[in-house]
Structures are given as structure tokens and as C-alpha cells.
Amino acid sequence: MTPHPPPLLFTEPWEYELRFPRDPRGPGIVRATLRAVLTAHGLRELVELASLLTSELAANSVRYSDDCASVRLLWTHPVLRVSVTDTNPELPEPFKPSVEVDNGRGLFILDVLADRWGGCAIGEEPFGIGGKTVWFELAWGGTPPTPMAALAA
């Protein structure tokens, strides 16, 4: 039996990526995955805020893109960066929401709650269309968690 490698140290970088279809269930699956990853890595303090902001970006991808999208979680201690990439090349414009407008609050929420955020268009690719990536960062300021044994699959 091959021994399992030891869990990564809290300060070591890691990255996860999930591709999801243009389906209304996609943002919920993305949220559940994000919660599982952050909890497993001892980042419970970031779960609620990261879930809210990721959900906004994933829902926009499902609503405005015409194909699948992906979410990428990148930890480089002490910053979590979440990126959502889709096939719609138009970068969204943030604006201050009003009671007369029913949509557009997602980027306003991102602007208010994220430590940093941005986006970039992706040019046309050799084997298909381009798109865009919108990302946000959350800085973590807690004490490192007590290392836990990793779950074996």
C-alpha cells in the first residue's frame, strides 16, 4: 500500500479548478465545492464571504454566457483569489444599484466586500471563442489552524 503524502502546510500555495455547465444548478454546485475546499484547508473564516461573491460571479456566467464556465480557487498565503471564466467577452460594468433596477447588484457587492477585484477579456483562442475572467481576492488575517489529518478518498 502506497502511503499518502502529508497534507500541505497552511502557508503553502494550492489551486483547485471546477468547470460547470450553463445550468441554473451550477452556482450551487460551485458554492458547495468552494465551501468544502476552504473548510478542508482551515479557511472557515472566509467561507461565507467567498461563497457570496463566488455565487454572484457564477450566476452571472450562467445568465450571460452561452457555454460552460469555470471557477478557480488559488491560495497564496494570506490571500485567496477566486476567478470565474466564461465565454462572454464583455466585461461587466459595475454601477450603484437603485430601487428602480432589478439587476446589477452583484458587481456592486463585489466592489464593496472584496479586498481587490478585477477582470480581463480573453482574446479569441485558436480552437474556439475567447471570453473573460472576473476575479476577486480576500485577505486572510486569522491565526493558522491546527493541522488536521487529510481525508483519504
Side-chain angles (χ1 to χ4, degrees):
M1 185 167 152
T2 306
H4 293 284
L8 293 171
L9 295 175
F10 186 72
T11 55
E12 288 185 59
W14 49 257
E15 179 179 2
Y16 292 83
E17 189 166 358
L18 173 67
R19 190 172 169 102
F20 59 99
R22 185 174 185 257
D23 181 281
R25 294 169 286 203
I29 292 167
V30 167
R31 259 191 325 274
T33 302
L34 177 129
R35 286 177 178 276
V37 168
L38 295 183
T39 300
H41 282 281
L43 294 167
R44 285 186 180 86
E45 292 87 0
L46 296 180
V47 167
E48 292 307 316
L49 184 52
S51 293
L52 171 67
L53 299 178
T54 303
S55 190
E56 290 292 336
L57 295 181
N60 282 350
S61 288
V62 167
R63 183 173 185 183
Y64 297 111
S65 185
D66 59 359
D67 203 352
C68 58
S70 65
V71 63
R72 179 176 168 237
L73 311 175
L74 175 64
W75 171 251
T76 52
H77 183 268
V79 175
L80 173 70
R81 177 180 274 218
V82 178
S83 307
V84 177
T85 302
D86 63 40
T87 58
N88 183 342
E90 293 183 36
L91 288 169
E93 291 288 328
F95 66 95
K96 204 167 198 158
S98 67
V99 291
E100 294 87 31
V101 179
D102 287 338
N103 58 7
R105 291 178 180 86
L107 290 180
F108 177 73
I109 291 169
L110 194 68
D111 198 43
V112 170
L113 298 177
D115 292 314
R116 286 181 10 142
W117 75 277
C120 59
I122 301 169
E124 229 175 272
E125 298 175 354
F127 303 107
I129 60 173
K132 71 173 171 308
T133 297
V134 180
W135 56 268
F136 68 86
E137 291 181 346
L138 299 175
W140 183 82
T143 33
T146 306
M148 295 175 27
L151 299 174

